[in-house]
């Protein structure tokens, strides 16, 4: 799974009915512009959990939990951010694009650059006159450890 574009995340956030989503898990009662209920994240006897449909947010004044519909779903169902966005997107009819090739190519190039840098530093450690091997030996690292962990200078 690739990175979800910011405009898709915004669209999902705008389309989700946060009161309907939270209402699946919490008994909510209208209270002015907001809706109130008992917080699902901690035990309480009087409602301190508020959902604001205009902003699309929730807030508990007891345990300080708060956020958007995405945050709520992540917390209540123990999902990662991309999983929560994809689940809500499916519910509101927003198509989330699959992993783009460009992003994967960037990650592969970064790993390749790191591997090249590591090879350079490992070679520098083996250079004649380098004080690095003596220092590492003094720290208890012999050649097998240096090779095993790819240590360089």
């Amino acid at each position: 799974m690739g990175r979800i574009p910011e405009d898709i995340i915004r669209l999902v956030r705008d389309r989700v009915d946060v009161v309907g989503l939270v209402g699946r898990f919490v008994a909510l009662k209208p209270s002015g512009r907001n809706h109130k209920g008992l917080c699902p994240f901690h035990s309480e006897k009087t409602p301190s959990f508020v959902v604001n449909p205009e902003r699309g947010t929730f807030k508990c004044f007891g345990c300080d939990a708060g956020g958007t519909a995405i945050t709520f779903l992540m917390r209540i169902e123990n999902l990662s951010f991309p999983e929560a966005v994809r689940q809500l997107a499916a519910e509101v009819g927003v198509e989330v694009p699959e992993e783009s090739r460009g992003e994967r190519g960037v990650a592969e190039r970064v790993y390749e650059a790191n591997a090249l840098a590591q090879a350079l530093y490992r070679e520098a450690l083996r250079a004649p006159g380098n004080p690095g091997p003596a220092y590492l030996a003094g720290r208890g690292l012999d050649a097998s450890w240096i090779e095993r962990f790819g240590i360089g200078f």
Side-chain angles (χ1 to χ4, degrees), residues 7-153:
D7 57 330
I8 298 293
I9 296 169
R10 245 189 317 275
L11 184 60
V12 169
R13 225 183 275 137
D14 291 344
R15 286 196 186 174
V16 169
D17 173 21
V18 70
V19 174
L21 173 67
V22 173
R24 290 187 226 160
F25 304 94
V26 178
L28 295 173
K29 292 182 181 177
S31 175
R33 292 183 171 184
N34 298 321
H35 289 75
K36 280 187 163 184
L38 297 175
C39 180
F41 305 119
H42 78 281
S43 181
E44 63 181 5
K45 294 180 182 177
T46 58
S48 65
F49 188 80
V50 178
V51 179
N52 184 314
E54 293 171 3
R55 289 192 216 140
T57 60
F58 72 94
K59 173 74 176 163
C60 176
F61 294 96
C63 69
D64 206 34
T68 65
I70 297 169
T71 314
F72 180 82
L73 191 61
M74 285 172 60
R75 241 182 124 161
I76 201 82
E77 293 194 358
N78 196 28
L79 300 173
S80 68
F81 183 81
E83 290 170 334
V85 170
R86 289 178 195 285
Q87 183 174 326
L88 290 173
E91 290 178 16
V92 296
V94 174
E95 188 175 328
V96 178
E98 289 304 314
E99 182 176 301
S100 72
R101 284 304 217 186
E103 290 175 11
R104 174 174 262 177
V106 169
E108 287 173 357
R109 288 192 303 243
V110 168
Y111 285 120
E112 187 177 314
N114 281 333
L116 289 171
Q118 183 189 26
L120 175 75
Y121 293 129
R122 289 176 75 184
E123 190 61 37
L125 184 64
R126 294 185 201 107
N130 186 335
Y135 169 78
L136 293 173
R139 302 286 299 202
L141 296 174
D142 61 16
S144 67
W145 283 96
I146 292 170
E147 188 62 33
R148 179 178 179 190
F149 292 105
I151 297 173
F153 181 77

